Amino acid sequence: MEKALWYLLAGTRGGKNRARIIRLLDERPRNANQLHEELGLDYNSVRHHLDMLEDHDVIESGDQEYGRLYFLTDRFDRHRDRFEAITEHV
């Protein structure tokens, strides 16, 4: 998970926005449209970041198709300290 977090947050251009998404999902689950509105990012960009985070097991989504909510995974929770350390360097 640490390597994935370094890649997602520090190794690519969208790292700061992915960190912002993680912080919002830490407050409460949200769907892509809510994240788009709260972050002021293009909806398709938000979807791209969500896909990247989901592919690396940082977030998971609910079962419903419309208004799908996203949650942080238990695996991410076990590595939260690494997330905090990495974001200090970004």
Side-chain angles (χ1 to χ4, degrees):
M1 174 61 77
E2 182 173 354
K3 288 179 186 178
L5 289 172
W6 273 108
Y7 169 73
L8 290 166
L9 303 173
T12 58
R13 283 185 356 183
K16 289 183 182 183
N17 286 326
R18 284 190 275 277
R20 292 170 62 203
I21 289 170
I22 290 169
R23 293 206 184 279
L24 285 175
L25 294 179
D26 191 34
E27 293 173 7
R28 67 176 172 80
R30 288 173 166 82
N31 65 36
N33 192 54
Q34 291 167 326
L35 291 166
H36 145 74
E37 290 176 357
E38 290 183 49
L39 295 170
L41 296 174
D42 178 74
Y43 179 82
N44 289 328
S45 295
V46 170
R47 291 287 319 136
H48 170 74
H49 293 310
L50 291 172
D51 289 343
M52 294 280 294
L53 292 168
E54 197 165 24
D55 288 347
H56 288 86
D57 201 28
V58 174
I59 65 171
E60 59 190 346
S61 60
D63 294 333
Q64 74 275 16
E65 193 61 35
Y66 180 78
R68 176 176 292 174
L69 292 177
Y70 291 88
F71 309 82
L72 297 175
T73 63
D74 292 339
R75 184 173 178 222
F76 171 82
D77 264 343
R78 291 190 301 272
H79 296 87
R80 181 179 299 274
D81 58 330
R82 296 308 309 144
F83 167 75
E84 296 299 339
I86 292 167
T87 56
E88 289 179 12
H89 299 292
V90 181

